[in-house]
Structure formats: structure tokens, C-alpha cells
Amino acid sequence: MKAISKSLLRAVALLVLICLFLVRPLVRVRLCIVAFHRFGHLALEPEIFLGEQELRVKSGVTKRFPVQVHWWSFGPQRLQANKFLVIKWREVLCVLPSWWIDALHTVGHLVPFLKLEEPKMSIRGNLNALDETETHLQLTEAEHRKGHIELSKLGIDPDRPYVCLVVRDGGHYASLGEKESDGYSFLNFEIASFEQAALWLVEHGYQVVRMGAGTETPLSTSHPQLIDYANSQHRSEFLDIYIAATCSFAVSTQTGPDAVCLAFRQPVCYIDVSRFSQFFFGTNLAWWNPTELWQTGSRLSLRDVLTGPVGNIKDPNDFIKYGVTQVRSDNAMITKSVAGFAESFEKRFVQSESDEVVEHSVQRLIEELMGIDGRQQFGRITAVLNPAFVRQSGDWYLV
């Protein structure tokens, strides 16, 4: 019966594709298939797509005909990284059942001239959409009321500022019985390295919410304003989104929840950035602090990274392949970086003239050395090298 149902479905898909082929001069349907199983991609791929589409319309690049229609797929519900986030996207997009999109996709590959275009989804894009547009996701008044109630259960005062702490470790994959390769040591961190910075934030009036999926190493530091939400019994898919969407800012090692912050236009202070090819250089929401990388006995400056193979690494195992090692920021360095970012946040990111000069020179250097490939991947370079990092390590990093 399953095979018969699949054959009938594909027959219907074939008829629909024939009809869509005939009306292509007037209406063009595109299939938008999201990496639904990855939290950050689920948040940012539709957001970047919608932002860039909005910018193209404003610039007059989009033609009146054919009319563009987008059918979205967020995969089977059981595999979605966050079901509440999919619910929110359904309010904005034309989302069709994954089995129907799969049928159209399959038949299109079998009959290539009928194949519907499938735009490449990206979590970055090259039109600086996060800087140039407003968020397309909106929380309702009812959701805000629910959020306030749920935050109170966690011990968070929703009327006082709170910060997301996003620290990647290998706990999620270990809980699934999977072992990450050695290269992921460049991406995984110990939460203990961030606890001093978290306490600094607490002492300066912030509540700190440690984000995660429930498989992370628990916090070893206890404080009523430092909430280990990742290991809380109150954790939910709704709160995963709500906290990231409404926080003042995030401190992150670049994983999952920080993408939700960016989608809702909340700034993020990134600690120990190593994979430049996977970073968010095309948005001024991203403030970054590089990790210290060494190769063949030499410490790598920004120019060294961008003119060698290290700047293009995507697979973290390639750090090992190229003989790269790293020196992680310690508690004190992370605290200084986070404190510098928080102070800039409180000044609404208005920088001193000298800091602005350095910022623009760094952005120009990245654009110059990344060249056309960088422009195509990131657009204009607007991410900010944290001035606090420059004051600590600019003497060797910016040579």
C-alpha cells in the first residue's frame, strides 16, 4: 500500500509540474527546502532569504512577471530542530507538507525539464540582509505573556535585562551515541571558562541565562542571577526561542541559539572565532574575538589567516590537516572581552574615534584579502572586531 500511495502521489506531482511548466511565463514556483534538523539553519535560512528578497524588491531588481511563488518545506515534524520555530515560520511563509515537496522534488529530478528551481539556502547571504531589514518573525502579545510567566518560573525577572550564554560542547552528539572527530576540539568549549565572565555580567546588573539542549555539563558556579536553563526542568522549545529573541544580547561560541538572536536582531559577542568561512562577517550584529592560532611554530595574525588556507577552512578536521593549533582564551581574557562588549552595548555601540578607525581598517582588510569570494559569501564586511580584544592583543593580531 505504501508503494502504491507513493506512485499515485508522484503521478499527481507529475501533473502539477506539467501545469506549472505551462504557466512559467506568468507564474514561477520555487521550492525552498530548509535544513530543518539544524537549529541555527532553521532560524536563519528563511530570515536571510526573506531579507534578501525584500532588498531586491526595493532595489527594483525583481521583475513584475513572472510572479514568484515560494513553497517551503520544513521536513517531517519529528526531525525538526524546534517545532515552535516552525510554527512561527508558518505564520509568515507558505509551508507545505514535506511529503508533497518531496514528491515534487523527486519527479523534477526524474523529468529535468519540469524541475522546479530550488534556491540555495544560506545562513549568511551577501546582501547584508540582517543589517538592512527588520526581523520577519514576530512574537504575539499572548506569547509575550506566556514568556513572562515561564521566565518567572526559571527565576528570571522579565523586566530586567538578561543575557544568553551559548557555549558549544560535544554533549548533544554524545547523548545520541555519536562521537565527534578530533577537529571539533576547535569548536567545543568548557563552560567553566565562561563562568567568571558570567559573574561579571551579574555584578553589573544582568541576569545570565546559560542556553542549551539539556546535554551540557552543568554550571559549577551558583548564583541566583546565573540560571542554568540548559539543565532546567522548565526548558521548552518555546523558551528556547523566546529567551534568545528577547535577550539584551548573547555571548556565544557560534552555535544554534545565537542564530535565533541574529534572526531577531539581537547583538552577539562571539568568543574565540576560529572558522572564518563559517562566520557572520556580513552583519554588524556580530562582534568577534578571534582565537589564537599557531602554525609551524608561528602565531597567526589576521593577515596570516586570510592569506593562507586557514581562513577558508569549513571542516574543523582541516585545522589538524594543516598543522594548526590554538590557544584558547582564559577566564580573564574572556571576561575582558565580554566586559568590553557589554560596555559598548550600554553606550548603544557608539565607539570612540580611534576604535572606529581600527574597526574600519579591519573591515577593509578582510574585504581586500577575502576578495571576490568573500564578497559573494558575506557581502560588505560589517562585523566588528571587539575593541576590547584589540586593546589586549592588537599589537600582534593586526600587524
Side-chain angles (χ1 to χ4, degrees):
M1 287 298 294
K2 187 175 181 180
I4 293 174
S5 298
K6 186 175 290 188
S7 297
L8 289 173
L9 182 61
R10 289 180 179 177
V12 174
L14 177 61
L15 293 174
V16 169
L17 288 175
I18 292 171
C19 293
L20 292 176
F21 177 78
L22 295 175
V23 300
R24 275 187 188 179
L26 298 176
V27 179
R28 183 156 297 180
V29 174
R30 307 166 84 195
L31 301 183
C32 298
I33 302 173
V34 177
F36 51 83
H37 59 295
R38 300 182 68 181
F39 192 20
H41 288 254
L42 183 59
L44 275 179
E45 285 183 1
E47 182 63 33
I48 295 295
F49 184 91
L50 291 175
E52 293 194 341
Q53 186 181 37
E54 180 181 327
L55 292 173
R56 290 189 182 99
V57 170
K58 287 181 179 178
S59 67
V61 173
T62 304
K63 298 179 181 178
R64 185 175 179 184
F65 290 104
V67 175
Q68 299 288 331
V69 176
H70 299 98
W71 289 349
W72 290 77
S73 172
F74 288 89
Q77 189 178 48
R78 60 188 172 81
L79 298 178
Q80 292 166 354
N82 186 289
K83 298 175 183 61
F84 175 72
L85 186 52
V86 173
I87 290 171
K88 297 306 296 179
W89 280 128
R90 285 181 179 276
E91 297 173 1
V92 180
L93 305 169
C94 178
V95 181
L96 300 182
S98 60
W99 49 263
W100 174 239
I101 298 294
D102 180 67
L104 293 171
H105 170 83
T106 301
V107 174
H109 276 273
L110 293 173
V111 189
F113 77 93
L114 295 178
K115 185 179 184 297
L116 298 177
E117 182 185 352
E118 297 179 12
K120 183 180 179 182
M121 294 289 110
S122 170
I123 61 172
R124 283 170 293 274
N126 59 12
L127 297 182
N128 301 90
L130 293 177
D131 293 353
E132 303 295 336
T133 63
E134 300 294 326
T135 179
H136 296 84
L137 289 164
Q138 300 294 332
L139 295 168
T140 66
E141 288 299 320
E143 287 163 349
H144 278 295
R145 288 194 294 271
K146 177 182 178 181
H148 282 206
I149 292 170
E150 296 298 317
L151 289 177
S152 297
K153 291 179 182 178
L154 284 165
I156 301 170
D157 182 350
D159 295 320
R160 290 182 50 237
Y162 47 92
V163 172
C164 287
L165 178 60
V166 186
V167 179
R168 189 190 196 282
D169 66 19
H172 172 68
Y173 293 97
S175 70
L176 300 175
E178 301 176 12
K179 185 180 184 302
E180 292 184 318
S181 57
D182 292 340
Y184 281 86
S185 63
F186 283 80
L187 309 182
N188 291 331
F189 295 75
E190 294 182 1
I191 187 61
S193 300
F194 289 79
E195 292 181 2
Q196 182 178 315
L199 290 176
W200 185 95
L201 289 168
V202 166
E203 290 168 3
H204 287 77
Y206 293 97
Q207 303 166 96
V208 178
V209 187
R210 189 275 187 93
M211 305 295 285
T215 55
E216 291 78 9
T217 302
L219 291 168
S220 60
T221 300
S222 178
H223 192 286
Q225 302 304 302
L226 176 54
I227 294 93
D228 194 357
Y229 168 72
N231 293 293
S232 169
Q233 62 178 339
H234 298 296
R235 199 187 73 78
S236 68
E237 293 194 349
F238 166 75
L239 276 178
D240 287 349
I241 303 304
Y242 188 81
I243 294 172
T246 58
C247 67
S248 296
F249 58 84
V251 175
S252 180
T253 59
Q254 197 176 343
T255 187
D258 65 54
V260 181
C261 296
L262 295 178
F264 281 91
R265 307 304 190 271
Q266 309 294 17
V268 182
C269 175
Y270 288 97
I271 302 296
D272 278 5
V273 172
S274 58
R275 283 197 300 175
F276 280 46
S277 68
Q278 302 297 291
F279 191 60
F280 300 104
F281 281 113
T283 173
N284 56 28
L285 294 168
W287 282 47
W288 56 291
N289 305 268
T291 194
E292 185 177 323
L293 298 175
W294 289 71
Q295 189 177 34
T296 60
S298 298
R299 183 165 56 181
L300 302 182
S301 67
L302 175 60
R303 184 177 293 274
D304 294 331
V305 171
L306 294 176
T307 55
V310 177
N312 294 316
I313 286 177
K314 294 182 180 179
D315 182 348
N317 294 305
D318 284 345
F319 285 110
I320 298 172
K321 173 183 174 182
Y322 291 116
V324 176
T325 58
Q326 69 175 335
V327 178
R328 278 277 165 76
S329 298
D330 60 19
N331 268 282
M333 291 178 66
I334 292 173
T335 302
K336 287 180 181 178
S337 294
V338 171
F341 175 83
E343 289 163 2
S344 294
F345 171 79
E346 289 163 7
K347 295 175 183 175
R348 299 180 181 271
F349 297 124
V350 176
Q351 298 187 60
S352 68
E353 186 176 342
S354 60
D355 284 342
E356 280 194 348
V357 168
V358 173
E359 174 193 330
H360 294 150
S361 66
V362 169
Q363 291 169 347
R364 286 194 298 271
L365 180 64
I366 295 173
E367 283 194 335
E368 173 192 337
L369 296 181
M370 283 190 167
I372 295 175
D373 288 343
R375 182 78 180 188
Q376 291 176 340
Q377 185 170 7
F378 301 110
R380 287 180 295 106
I381 303 301
T382 57
V384 179
L385 177 59
N386 192 344
F389 173 87
V390 175
R391 286 189 281 274
Q392 289 184 83
S393 305
D395 59 332
W396 64 265
Y397 193 68
L398 298 181
V399 295

